[in-house]
Amino acid sequence: MRIDLHTHSNRSDGTDTPAELVAGARAAGLDVVALTDHDATTGWDDAVAAGQSLGVHVVRGIEISTRLHGRSVHLLGYEFDPDDPALVAELRRVLDGREDRLPQMLDKLAAHGWPIMMDEVAAQSGDAAASGRPHIADAMVAKGYIAHRDEAFNGWLNTGGKAYVDRYAAPLMDAVRLLKAAGGKAVIAHPWSRDSKSVLTPEAFDELAAAGLDGLEAHHNDHDAEATRELRGIAADLDLVVTGSSDYHGTGKSAEFCLGAHTTDPEQYERLLG
Ligand code: AMP
Ligand code: ZN
Ligand code: FE
Ligand code: FE
């Protein structure tokens, strides 16, 4: 059994449609794939239908943009009620926050001599639930300002970059509780990537476990062998599930984030979602 529990379609900042993503999962030899678009569940139905026709089990998931002590932390949620009113309201707030700060980011880019119109970003976001930084980056590529999406995150759109504007994110503990109350499972995505390492301390993990957290995504390209080992140790101490996944974004991320780049042990999967 090959299981990948973290992927993105064009309903957020990936480049495959949900059906293309599931076909790709099958081609990569995966038996189970979770669709975990940023703050959105709009790809679930298409992905599940594709999974049924292709013989791939699709786990219905999400990756929620959260914040802990001012730092960005990503929280994976699985198999929750997508119509839960409190959760839907919080996700709406995150999506609106992402959309609302767009004009300010475009103003900053224009001030640096790189004008981009709102509809040029919208052309890149297409079917996405909201336009985020990756779509601005794609518009920068389309305008010929930069060569690749990643370049935009080197000094421009990254936190503290010249065109960066902050946005709303759900308080982490609230997000865990909302997912659990909606009948779902909660797993911290790439706990020690980018800004989350400094705030996801042993004390924070204790508190999260007490709030009902189910697991840690220890196996991920953003972690080196040492970080993976340490996170596995923390998960074992707190009786949390350990997951592994690709964080696939289609051509929106480099080839090392291909489907199945990291996988989840079937026993761990059974504990989480069996
Ligand atoms: P937003 O939700 O609009 O703030 O954009 C956040 C998304 O941008 C993340 O989910 C990533 O996919 C991407 N992103 C954020 N920081 C970086 C970075 N340093 N390098 C590459 N992609 C990034
Ligand atoms: Zn993303
Ligand atoms: Fe993430
Ligand atoms: Fe992700």
Side-chain angles (χ1 to χ4, degrees):
M1 275 258 280
R2 298 218 330 131
I3 303 158
D4 186 341
L5 291 181
H6 180 170
T7 71
H8 299 270
S9 76
N10 67 354
R11 302 310 165 92
S12 61
D13 57 353
T15 55
D16 290 356
T17 65
E20 285 166 352
L21 185 149
V22 174
R26 189 190 143 101
L30 292 170
D31 304 287
V32 178
V33 68
L35 179 67
T36 55
D37 277 312
H38 297 287
D39 312 300
T41 59
T42 53
W44 282 13
D45 291 351
D46 287 0
V48 167
Q52 276 162 357
S53 69
L54 295 171
V56 176
H57 180 71
V58 172
V59 174
R60 306 177 316 153
I62 196 165
E63 183 176 19
I64 304 181
S65 307
T66 85
R67 197 144 299 180
L68 180 64
H69 306 308
R71 296 295 184 107
S72 166
V73 175
H74 286 178
L75 181 68
L76 295 162
Y78 299 107
E79 296 297 345
F80 53 89
D81 174 5
D83 298 318
D84 180 86
L87 183 56
V88 167
E90 188 65 12
L91 295 174
R92 188 71 257 159
R93 213 175 153 190
V94 175
L95 292 170
D96 288 347
R98 178 172 288 130
E99 202 73 46
D100 290 349
R101 55 91 118 102
L102 210 66
Q104 291 161 266
M105 292 190 74
L106 296 186
D107 284 348
K108 289 194 174 196
L109 282 172
H112 282 276
W114 282 353
I116 297 174
M117 306 299 289
M118 283 288 275
D119 60 356
E120 291 173 310
V121 178
Q124 298 300 326
S125 37
D127 289 333
S131 300
R133 286 180 281 165
H135 304 112
I136 303 178
D138 292 345
M140 291 166 75
V141 174
K143 298 284 279 188
Y145 301 150
I146 56 172
H148 192 269
R149 186 189 270 192
D150 286 347
E151 272 178 56
F153 286 95
N154 190 8
W156 295 98
L157 308 183
N158 52 295
T159 308
K162 290 189 276 290
Y164 179 72
V165 176
D166 199 13
R167 61 161 168 75
Y168 178 76
L172 176 58
M173 296 295 167
D174 292 0
V176 170
R177 291 193 189 99
L178 284 168
L179 278 173
K180 302 298 295 184
K185 305 290 180 179
V187 173
I188 302 278
H190 45 70
W192 286 349
S193 74
R194 290 205 281 271
D195 14 358
S196 45
K197 166 108 198 179
S198 64
V199 291
L200 287 175
T201 57
E203 297 70 37
F205 286 124
D206 284 348
E207 222 181 301
L208 286 160
L213 185 76
D214 296 286
L216 299 180
E217 186 184 59
H219 299 267
H220 184 284
N221 273 335
D222 289 357
H223 298 146
D224 61 19
E226 174 70 15
T228 300
R229 191 166 49 244
E230 275 185 57
L231 286 165
R232 288 182 61 100
I234 292 167
D237 288 346
L238 295 172
D239 202 26
L240 297 172
V241 167
V242 168
T243 69
S245 36
S246 63
D247 206 353
Y248 175 74
H249 281 66
T251 57
K253 267 195 178 192
S254 64
E256 70 196 91
F257 292 83
C258 61
L259 286 162
H262 292 275
T263 55
T264 298
D265 185 281
E267 262 176 47
Q268 298 293 312
Y269 171 70
E270 203 51 40
R271 262 182 78 196
L272 184 66
L273 291 159

